[in-house]
Amino acid sequence: MSQSNTLVEAFKQTNYQLNGHGKRNIQILKEAITELDGLQESDMYGQGKIIEDFQAKMADYLGKESAVFFPSGTMAQQIALRIWCDKKVLKKVAYHPLSHLEIHEEDGLKKLHHIESVLLADKTRLIELEDVLNIEEDVACILLELPQREIGGQLPDFKTLEDISGYCRDKGIKLHLDGARLFEILPYYKKSAVEICNLFDSVYISFYKGIGGIAGAILAGDPSFIEVSKVWKRRHGGDLISLYPYIVSSEYYLDQRLPKMNQYYEYAIEVAELFNQCRSVSTLPIQPVSNMFHVYFNISKDKLEPILTAIYKKTGIGLTSYVVEKSEQSCYCEINIGDQVTKIPKGKLTKGFQMLDESMKNLKY
Amino acid sequence: MSQSNTLVEAFKQTNYQLNGHGKRNIQILKEAITELDGLQESDMYGQGKIIEDFQAKMADYLGKESAVFFPSGTMAQQIALRIWCDKKVLKKVAYHPLSHLEIHEEDGLKKLHHIESVLLADKTRLIELEDVLNIEEDVACILLELPQREIGGQLPDFKTLEDISGYCRDKGIKLHLDGARLFEILPYYKKSAVEICNLFDSVYISFYKGIGGIAGAILAGDPSFIEVSKVWKRRHGGDLISLYPYIVSSEYYLDQRLPKMNQYYEYAIEVAELFNQCRSVSTLPIQPVSNMFHVYFNISKDKLEPILTAIYKKTGIGLTSYVVEKSEQSCYCEINIGDQVTKIPKGKLTKGFQMLDESMKNLKY
């Protein structure tokens, strides 16, 4: 068995995990539907009480007039950008070089919609107002991802958002929010979803990150935008006869975990501190601004994996199931704080991090 | 309340229905998962035992080397045609004028993939070998829908299929099967799925028609075709983190209803006969070749609706929940035979049709 597989196996055997809400298994679905009335009617191709009620609830929560449920964010966001491009008869949008659309979607935006991307900022940092002011080409739309996941979940300050939003409105550039982790950033900004979404023309949110649902997304905006998005949803093959398995589970876990976002955020700060107290370990950002952060280890992946495996076996705490090589002498992982961390006895957690610190000291590269 | 709504309401109140497997409600999902092991792991972006096992099972059933699960047939089929077009560097395909791609998908094939369609045969009849021989333009792929749903679910004879397949192979034209109702036609052809699919380069099947699942589709073909289809699935936004709610329910109802396809077919013939015995009523086809057929009434929709409503109230049997206007003096509906019809006592069924016959006699247009 490879070192990486040994790490995964040791992680699976742990009693406690730092990350997420627990295993993604069928129990997630079972729990979500057990109390539901079996006689409740399915949605039918986007129609019916079960989907319309949830769409209305989320539109209201986001402060938008209208919303539509999508099977995936990939589909929702390509469509949002397509609509704004068509409206301006200009097939060009701007976003971060590490946007989901740029690196995780097999270039769907380009291959299906023939939309060009202008990359703002660089891979190591957030988009700032200056990046927006300095765009040299006309673009129909700018997409902002809050938090910027691939750089540890960083956030611009709220003033920057307001300035970018104001500039875009002046210039007739549509502003779209990739809010895959919108719920998770509310505690840091100390704002409501409405206050944040007011700055954007369209918003996408996801139900399987901090919410811990099975899959699914909402796209929200003005009624004419949403009506057109439904046409594109059908074209993409996303207008399923029944989406209710995702809808009911999204709602179930939303109701359960939305009130816990503050708790996840505070735990993230605490856990990041524990990492930062270990030698040759640091988090990005140093102090998290949501429930997520990245952890960097100044040691090769090959050397770190056996260290982590030993910690898991000794303490029963799984810190991460994987590490990604960054350079020959460094590697990293992503932590998303959810329900799991709250189950770890504090003493055990401290012990796990002490062992990490000791191991990093002893095994210098 | 409009007449149509009155009909729907009366239909909902009936104890017995001619059509389908029963109400599409959450109970369908509850029943499918109740016996499953909650600890079974979710699929993750197309990977994992739960999706891979089902894909392998369906590939085997269809006699293809490889298969991939899709959230919808709309997505699966556009992608199949796109791959064949790319392979031939020719963005043109041929299919029936009433193909799902032409009339139910908001022109996704054209708007997303820029593929032109050449329409074979005309709206009133099946595609025959001659239509294929006479195509005047080069096409990359021909799609055949078996049965041809929008004309009552008609089928060409098997020899025609073999001839079209042989011709396409000779000419280097790919042949794709829209097998949304493939399970349903096996009893008529007296062939296995493998024997039919052998004639095609790629095959799509659905799990919520005769199978009665919640949603979901399989696309099958050779391994290189399927690998590329997974890339397009991601581009379309169909590579969800978890598709298992559709997978497990598809498998559950497949196992339950695949053995009943012969029974549905025989009932369809019987029920069609009952319709045809009524004055001014006829089915298309006269003798069904699957579990489905259309029923034509030589009377206006406005006159038929109150007749049906009265029959439902009197007999407790719902024949159809809707009728579609065909002309000023005719209308029609679609019947898909499933589990529901088997629950109707024969005496009651006969009585319902006697009443339909009497009503049609008395109320001439």
Side-chain angles (χ1 to χ4, degrees):
Chain A
M1 188 153 43
S2 77
Q3 267 188 184
S4 299
N5 285 341
T6 308
L7 178 67
V8 172
E9 285 310 310
F11 183 84
K12 282 187 182 172
Q13 299 300 318
T14 55
N15 294 320
Y16 304 102
Q17 295 90 36
L18 213 52
N19 204 54
H21 299 302
K23 294 210 171 78
R24 289 185 62 87
N25 57 30
I26 292 185
Q27 193 54 38
I28 308 297
L29 177 60
K30 285 190 157 193
E31 183 187 324
I33 71 168
T34 186
E35 298 293 327
L36 294 179
D37 177 6
L39 299 180
Q40 215 181 332
E41 281 180 18
S42 170
D43 51 311
M44 288 286 281
Y45 300 111
Q47 312 263 304
K49 186 170 161 52
I50 204 166
I51 188 166
E52 288 165 15
D53 282 0
F54 188 61
Q55 289 172 169
K57 174 177 171 173
M58 296 318 298
D60 188 54
Y61 175 80
L62 299 169
K64 297 293 179 197
E65 281 183 86
S66 199
V68 58
F69 192 86
F70 271 92
S72 76
T74 295
M75 195 185 292
Q77 295 207 109
Q78 284 181 27
I79 287 172
L81 299 190
R82 173 63 184 257
I83 295 170
W84 295 138
C85 284
D86 281 354
K87 196 168 173 124
K88 201 154 176 178
V89 198
L90 170 62
K91 290 216 164 184
K92 208 173 277 184
V93 297
Y95 50 56
H96 194 272
L98 296 179
S99 164
H100 197 273
L101 288 116
E102 193 69 12
I103 65 173
H104 289 309
E105 301 181 6
E106 295 280 2
D107 274 343
L109 189 72
K110 293 161 194 173
K111 302 277 186 182
L112 285 171
H113 295 285
H114 306 280
I115 293 173
E116 275 181 69
S117 59
V118 175
L119 304 180
L120 301 178
D122 68 54
K123 289 183 181 185
T124 64
R125 65 168 179 86
L126 287 172
I127 296 169
E128 297 293 344
L129 175 62
E130 207 170 34
D131 299 306
V132 173
L133 298 179
N134 291 339
I135 302 178
E136 287 174 0
E137 311 166 73
D138 277 349
V139 295
C141 178
I142 293 174
L143 174 147
L144 291 185
E145 183 186 343
L146 302 181
Q148 197 72 51
R149 187 243 181 129
E150 300 289 346
I151 50 173
Q154 298 180 52
L155 283 176
D157 55 38
F158 197 73
K159 175 74 167 54
T160 300
L161 291 184
E162 289 176 317
D163 290 346
I164 291 175
S165 174
Y167 176 80
C168 286
R169 266 175 209 174
D170 285 350
K171 294 289 178 184
I173 300 169
K174 295 293 179 183
L175 192 60
H176 172 79
L177 172 58
D178 178 343
R181 292 164 184 80
L182 173 66
F183 306 115
E184 295 87 324
I185 63 172
L186 303 180
Y188 171 76
Y189 278 134
K190 294 187 172 57
K191 300 283 181 191
S192 68
V194 172
E195 287 171 297
I196 294 173
C197 295
N198 276 345
L199 304 175
F200 294 86
D201 297 290
S202 54
V203 176
Y204 140 71
I205 55 170
S206 171
F207 297 101
Y208 67 89
K209 278 84 182 186
I211 299 300
I214 298 170
I218 277 278
L219 182 65
D222 69 64
S224 64
F225 169 85
I226 292 301
E227 278 316 298
V228 182
S229 82
K230 290 178 183 174
V231 175
W232 282 107
K233 179 182 168 192
R234 172 153 290 214
R235 287 175 182 150
H236 264 251
D239 189 20
L240 308 197
I241 183 168
S242 301
L243 281 166
Y244 73 82
Y246 297 133
I247 296 167
V248 297
S249 47
S250 292
E251 184 156 29
Y252 178 82
Y253 292 107
L254 179 73
D255 291 348
Q256 194 172 100
R257 297 203 174 108
L258 192 51
K260 293 186 184 173
M261 290 295 156
N262 202 50
Q263 188 190 358
Y264 300 152
Y265 168 55
E266 285 170 2
Y267 259 103
I269 292 173
E270 204 175 309
V271 173
E273 265 178 26
L274 290 169
F275 273 115
N276 286 313
Q277 284 161 16
C278 297
R279 276 159 279 199
S280 300
V281 181
S282 62
T283 67
L284 180 71
I286 294 288
Q287 178 162 323
V289 291
S290 71
N291 74 322
M292 75 163 287
F293 54 89
H294 286 180
V295 186
Y296 282 83
F297 303 88
N298 280 327
I299 185 176
S300 72
K301 177 176 186 284
D302 283 352
K303 285 185 177 160
L304 181 63
E305 284 176 338
I307 291 176
L308 293 177
T309 301
I311 293 172
Y312 301 174
K313 286 183 175 170
K314 179 96 176 191
T315 66
I317 299 179
L319 302 178
T320 177
S321 63
Y322 72 94
V323 283
V324 180
E325 186 175 289
K326 185 75 183 173
S327 73
E328 274 186 29
Q329 297 302 337
S330 76
C331 57
Y332 79 101
C333 67
E334 180 176 295
I335 302 289
N336 288 278
I337 296 295
D339 291 344
Q340 287 297 81
V341 77
T342 66
K343 297 172 188 162
I344 312 178
K346 282 282 158 89
K348 273 194 176 285
L349 192 61
T350 315
K351 187 142 179 294
F353 278 98
Q354 276 167 357
M355 197 172 157
L356 176 62
D357 180 45
E358 287 300 320
S359 311
M360 295 298 283
K361 180 181 75 175
N362 296 335
L363 218 159
K364 294 304 276 184
Y365 42 91
Chain B
M1 187 153 47
S2 76
Q3 266 190 183
S4 299
N5 286 340
T6 308
L7 179 67
V8 172
E9 285 311 310
F11 182 84
K12 283 186 181 172
Q13 299 301 318
T14 55
N15 294 320
Y16 304 103
Q17 295 90 35
L18 213 53
N19 203 54
H21 298 303
K23 293 210 170 79
R24 288 185 65 87
N25 58 29
I26 293 186
Q27 193 54 37
I28 307 297
L29 177 60
K30 286 192 155 191
E31 182 187 324
I33 70 168
T34 184
E35 298 293 328
L36 294 179
D37 178 6
L39 299 180
Q40 214 182 334
E41 282 179 18
S42 171
D43 50 314
M44 288 284 281
Y45 300 111
Q47 313 262 302
K49 188 171 161 50
I50 204 166
I51 188 167
E52 288 165 15
D53 282 1
F54 188 61
Q55 289 172 170
K57 174 177 171 173
M58 296 318 299
D60 189 54
Y61 176 79
L62 300 169
K64 296 293 178 197
E65 281 183 86
S66 201
V68 58
F69 192 86
F70 271 91
S72 74
T74 295
M75 195 185 291
Q77 295 208 109
Q78 283 182 27
I79 288 172
L81 299 189
R82 173 63 183 258
I83 295 170
W84 295 138
C85 283
D86 282 353
K87 194 165 175 130
K88 201 155 177 179
V89 199
L90 171 63
K91 291 217 163 183
K92 208 174 278 185
V93 297
Y95 49 56
H96 194 272
L98 297 179
S99 165
H100 197 273
L101 288 116
E102 193 68 13
I103 64 172
H104 289 308
E105 302 181 7
E106 296 280 1
D107 273 344
L109 188 74
K110 293 161 194 174
K111 302 276 185 182
L112 285 171
H113 295 284
H114 306 280
I115 293 173
E116 275 180 69
S117 60
V118 175
L119 304 180
L120 301 177
D122 66 55
K123 289 182 180 184
T124 63
R125 65 169 179 86
L126 288 171
I127 295 169
E128 298 293 343
L129 174 63
E130 206 171 33
D131 299 305
V132 172
L133 298 180
N134 290 340
I135 303 179
E136 285 174 0
E137 311 166 73
D138 277 348
V139 296
C141 178
I142 293 173
L143 174 148
L144 291 184
E145 182 187 343
L146 303 179
Q148 197 72 52
R149 187 242 180 129
E150 300 290 345
I151 49 172
Q154 299 180 51
L155 284 176
D157 55 39
F158 197 73
K159 175 72 167 53
T160 300
L161 290 184
E162 289 177 316
D163 290 346
I164 291 174
S165 174
Y167 175 80
C168 286
R169 266 176 208 172
D170 284 350
K171 294 289 178 184
I173 300 168
K174 296 293 179 183
L175 192 60
H176 172 78
L177 171 59
D178 178 342
R181 292 164 184 80
L182 173 66
F183 306 114
E184 294 88 325
I185 62 173
L186 303 180
Y188 170 76
Y189 279 134
K190 295 187 171 57
K191 300 284 180 190
S192 68
V194 173
E195 287 170 297
I196 293 173
C197 294
N198 275 345
L199 304 175
F200 295 85
D201 297 291
S202 54
V203 175
Y204 140 71
I205 55 171
S206 171
F207 296 101
Y208 66 89
K209 278 86 180 185
I211 299 300
I214 298 170
I218 278 278
L219 182 65
D222 69 65
S224 65
F225 168 85
I226 291 301
E227 278 317 298
V228 183
S229 82
K230 289 178 183 173
V231 174
W232 282 108
K233 179 182 167 189
R234 172 153 292 214
R235 288 176 181 148
H236 265 252
D239 190 19
L240 307 196
I241 184 168
S242 302
L243 281 166
Y244 73 80
Y246 297 132
I247 296 167
V248 297
S249 48
S250 292
E251 185 157 28
Y252 178 82
Y253 291 106
L254 179 72
D255 292 349
Q256 193 173 101
R257 296 203 174 108
L258 191 50
K260 293 187 185 173
M261 289 297 156
N262 202 50
Q263 188 190 357
Y264 300 151
Y265 167 55
E266 286 169 2
Y267 259 103
I269 292 173
E270 203 175 312
V271 173
E273 265 177 27
L274 290 169
F275 274 113
N276 286 313
Q277 283 162 15
C278 297
R279 274 160 278 198
S280 299
V281 181
S282 62
T283 68
L284 180 71
I286 293 287
Q287 178 161 321
V289 291
S290 71
N291 73 322
M292 76 163 287
F293 54 89
H294 287 180
V295 186
Y296 281 83
F297 303 87
N298 280 327
I299 184 176
S300 72
K301 179 176 185 283
D302 284 352
K303 285 186 178 159
L304 181 64
E305 283 176 339
I307 291 177
L308 293 176
T309 301
I311 294 173
Y312 301 174
K313 286 184 174 169
K314 178 97 180 192
T315 66
I317 300 178
L319 301 178
T320 178
S321 63
Y322 71 93
V323 283
V324 180
E325 185 174 289
K326 186 75 183 173
S327 72
E328 273 186 31
Q329 296 303 338
S330 77
C331 57
Y332 78 102
C333 67
E334 180 177 296
I335 302 290
N336 288 278
I337 296 295
D339 291 346
Q340 287 298 81
V341 75
T342 67
K343 298 172 188 161
I344 312 177
K346 282 283 159 89
K348 273 193 175 286
L349 192 61
T350 315
K351 187 144 178 292
F353 278 98
Q354 275 167 358
M355 197 172 156
L356 176 61
D357 180 44
E358 286 299 319
S359 312
M360 294 298 283
K361 181 182 73 176
N362 297 334
L363 219 158
K364 293 305 273 182
Y365 42 92

